[in-house]
Amino acid sequence: MRRYVIAGNWKMNKTPAATRAFIGELAPMVAGKDGCDIVLCVPFVDIAVAAEAAKGTNIKIGAQNVHFKESGAYTGEVAADMLLEAGAEYVIVGHSERRQYFGETDETVNLRTKAALAAGLKIILCLGELLEARQAGITEEIVSMQTKLDLAGIPEEDLQNIIIAYEPVWAIGTGLTATPEQADEACGIIRSVVAGLYSQAAADAITIQYGGSMNEKNAAELLAKENVDGGLIGGASLVAEKFTAIALAAN
Ligand code: PEP
């Protein structure tokens, strides 16, 4: 059985004080809802406060990026062991906003994934096609290529610490959601690429999330699909009631 994972991506939202208040509100609402893992990926400066506030709850904390070097002259970057020590268990890698605005490539996504794995973090590896790619009918080619490049050189045993988030770029923050069928199809394509790269057992075991304007209204339908094992949620993860409703749908 694959584990469902509902993860919030707060992006550049909430201060440490707002983080503490949010987790105080969320924790009783999701207590005992253990049919899925619940993760909040927060800004770097919120990680320590979030980890402290989440202690003793079923909420896990993640970061939104990680550098691929262990240390050194990389101003503004944060290394994997820093995230771990601050209290992060997960890290998002390759989010489309990093690819779009900060020059992230499949090569750096692969390097970041390897560095985070080596440090003992769990990875939420994001990939997905642009609108032009979908309109040109090359979604399968794009997500297959990204899956292969992003996982290059990563051994099968490390897949237990990797979640793949299929996030069509045209659906992120736009209010446009992939239909459940589109999400299922793309997650299924990624799963079959994993089967080809590794094994059917690895493909059957890996958690593949859908992300892109998932909310409390559409989550149940998306999560009901065979190949959709959870969600990466931006906007709706900033409101405790909405995020809870999505976690309940996954339960
Ligand atoms: C995201 O940030 O990964 C995301 C899916 O955002 P939203 O839910 O706001 O579309």
Side-chain angles (χ1 to χ4, degrees):
M1 271 291 278
R2 295 193 282 272
R3 184 85 183 140
Y4 272 59
V5 180
I6 298 297
N9 172 20
W10 280 3
K11 314 193 188 200
M12 197 172 70
N13 291 289
K14 297 193 191 292
T15 63
T19 298
R20 191 179 292 108
F22 182 95
I23 293 176
E25 189 187 352
L26 180 68
M29 294 166 78
V30 297
K33 307 300 179 202
D34 294 325
C36 65
D37 286 343
I38 298 171
V39 184
L40 290 176
C41 296
V42 304
F44 289 137
V45 296
D46 296 338
I47 292 171
V49 162
E52 180 64 32
K55 229 176 238 162
T57 76
N58 55 343
I59 301 167
K60 299 161 196 287
I61 303 304
Q64 299 173 12
N65 193 19
V66 60
H67 194 57
F68 41 83
K69 296 284 188 181
E70 286 177 17
S71 63
Y74 302 100
T75 303
E77 293 293 326
V78 176
D81 65 344
M82 298 172 186
L83 299 179
L84 270 175
E85 197 171 317
E89 213 179 309
Y90 288 78
V91 63
I92 295 173
V93 169
H95 191 276
S96 68
E97 287 151 17
R98 302 293 320 170
R99 294 180 189 251
Q100 192 177 350
Y101 305 133
F102 301 102
E104 194 79 68
T105 63
D106 288 310
E107 189 185 355
T108 56
V109 170
N110 178 254
L111 289 172
R112 289 180 206 278
T113 301
K114 286 173 175 162
L117 284 169
L121 286 162
K122 296 190 176 79
I123 288 90
I124 299 177
L125 197 172
C126 301
L127 54 88
E129 82 286 2
L130 297 168
L131 181 60
E132 303 82 76
R134 179 154 288 266
Q135 287 173 337
I138 55 169
T139 297
E140 176 163 1
E141 286 89 333
I142 295 293
V143 299
S144 300
M145 184 188 71
Q146 290 177 327
T147 304
K148 288 177 189 171
L149 292 173
D150 295 350
L151 293 176
I154 293 172
E156 181 164 339
E157 63 264 26
D158 281 346
L159 288 192
Q160 60 188 316
N161 291 318
I162 298 180
I163 293 162
I164 296 178
Y166 165 64
E167 298 209 307
V169 180
W170 47 272
I172 297 177
T174 58
L176 288 175
T177 314
T179 64
E181 291 68 32
Q182 287 172 324
D184 190 43
E185 185 186 22
C187 291
I189 289 166
I190 294 167
R191 201 177 299 288
S192 63
V193 173
V194 171
L197 289 173
Y198 296 96
S199 66
Q200 191 57 49
D204 290 341
I206 194 165
T207 294
I208 303 181
Q209 299 172 316
Y210 166 76
S213 300
M214 186 184 273
N215 60 38
E216 71 287 4
K217 297 192 185 83
N218 58 29
E221 255 195 316
L222 288 158
L223 294 169
K225 287 295 177 189
E226 187 186 339
N227 284 300
V228 179
D229 311 318
L232 182 58
I233 299 117
S237 73
L238 296 169
V239 181
E241 289 80 9
K242 293 185 181 181
F243 191 58
T244 299
I246 297 169
L248 293 184
N251 268 258

